[in-house]
Amino acid sequence: LLPWDGEGLKLIRRIRDEVHRFGITFHRNKRSKSALQTVLGEIKGIGDQTITTLLQRFKSIANIKLAKPEELIELIGLAKTRLLLDELHQEGEE
């Protein structure tokens, strides 16, 4: 048994606390990365920059679905708007 206020037990406690902090941080980072993945990321031809632009403007996928095609064309162009609307339309059918 180690004395409660001994240096050895303090070292073991610090190691335990650091390992716990590391594990929690890793888990939070992993969870937040998966939360950021969206349906938009799965659309071939729609890259990270386009996703960022859309989410900055419309704030959510629900708002993107409600947006007028003209707004989307103005923001990301005709070709990407077609890809986006086709994919969102297919998703709505499932």
Side-chain angles (χ1 to χ4, degrees), residues 19-94:
V19 167
H20 184 256
R21 185 196 63 78
F22 182 83
I24 293 295
T25 302
F26 173 79
H27 176 70
R28 286 179 182 158
N29 288 339
K30 186 175 178 183
R31 185 180 61 211
S32 68
K33 285 179 185 176
S34 67
L36 292 176
Q37 292 178 344
T38 67
V39 174
L40 301 176
E42 298 171 3
I43 301 173
K44 189 172 184 166
I46 304 291
D48 291 339
Q49 185 64 44
T50 303
I51 293 169
T52 302
T53 302
L54 287 167
L55 291 176
Q56 283 177 342
R57 171 84 178 267
F58 296 106
K59 307 295 184 209
S60 71
I61 294 178
N63 289 340
I64 293 170
K65 289 179 182 180
L66 295 174
K68 295 179 182 175
E70 296 81 27
E71 290 179 284
L72 294 170
I73 292 169
E74 181 183 320
L75 189 63
I76 61 173
L78 180 61
K80 288 183 181 180
T81 298
R82 284 183 180 161
L83 291 171
L84 178 66
L85 293 177
D86 288 345
E87 187 64 34
L88 293 178
H89 181 69
Q90 287 177 2
E91 180 188 307
E93 292 176 352
E94 293 176 355

